[in-house]
Amino acid sequence: DTGVSQDPRHKITKRGQNVTFRCDPISEHNRLYWYRQTLGQGPEFLTYFQNEAQLEKSRLLSDRFSAERPKGSFSTLEIQRTEQGDSAMYLCASSLPNYGGSSNNEQFFGPGTRLTVL
Amino acid sequence: DAKTTQPPSMDCAEGRAANLPCNHSTISGNEYVYWYRQIHSQGPQYIIHGLKNNETNEMASLIITEDRKSSTLILPHATLRDTAVYYCIVRVVYTGGFKTIFGAGTRLFVKA
């Protein structure tokens, strides 16, 4: 399977603990995105990378959240001192470069990591 | 990016066409209409997109009104596996990056 993969698929943690999620994008995709989705809502944008550069961060990404993509391939999302409000599905997506204003820049999403904070 | 309005839920009989409406009255000239769907416990899946012409692919058809203020996603022969949340999104396409702003979507129930 050459799609976007995420690990782990499920994570249960106690409040105050740190957690780290991994995303492996489709190999030729240089853009990588993180979203968060709570029950009954659509995904909310968190942050975006182009290669190893983090180009945009949402206000939703508090100081307890940090995302990295050190070699421009896989990415990690770390949440420090987790709170119950962090319980959500964390989705990763990737896409090709978009040159010349082409409309063909669909995002491919992974299956997500479901985080439960007790 | 422009805001979209979708009905919260719809039903469709298996084998019939499912027509999912979307209003985007504030869409600007350089914004495309995209549709994604999300089957339970999976990540969103791209379906189709268009600017002003109607589009068709193996999954669905997209009908955009002439004034571009609304569109309809058509699943020609809905199956039980099409039960999902369908998101209508409008966004600018440019050479930089982009974020997808999802609304609550339409929950489509396909019934046998």
Side-chain angles (χ1 to χ4, degrees), chain A residues 30-34 45-59 61 67-69 72 75 95-99, chain B residues 94-99:
Chain A
N30 74 335
R31 294 184 177 158
L32 187 147
Y33 310 80
W34 285 98
F45 170 81
L46 291 179
T47 190
Y48 144 68
F49 289 86
Q50 181 163 301
N51 300 312
E52 64 276 7
Q54 188 174 16
L55 297 185
E56 186 172 353
K57 292 171 63 173
S58 163
R59 286 174 293 179
L61 214 64
E68 294 183 345
R69 195 182 183 198
S75 175
S95 71
L96 284 166
N98 177 36
Y99 300 114
Chain B
Y94 54 100
T95 55
F98 59 92
K99 58 191 178 188

Side-chain angles (χ1 to χ4, degrees), chain A residues 15-27:
Chain A
R15 188 178 55 185
Q17 297 294 306
N18 300 342
V19 294
T20 300
F21 311 140
R22 176 178 170 127
C23 170
D24 286 89
I26 294 172
S27 59

Side-chain angles (χ1 to χ4, degrees), chain B residues 5 9 11 16-17 21 23 34 43 60 68 83-84 90 92 94 99 105:
Chain B
T5 304
S9 65
D11 290 345
R16 305 296 291 268
N23 287 320
Y34 278 75
R68 302 210 324 121
T83 292
V90 292
V92 176
Y94 54 100
K99 58 191 178 188

Side-chain angles (χ1 to χ4, degrees), chain A residues 96-116:
Chain A
L96 284 166
N98 177 36
Y99 300 114
S102 165
S103 66
N104 187 26
N105 55 4
E106 61 182 276
Q107 294 177 329
F108 293 83
F109 284 82
T113 294
R114 181 167 295 284
L115 173 66
T116 302

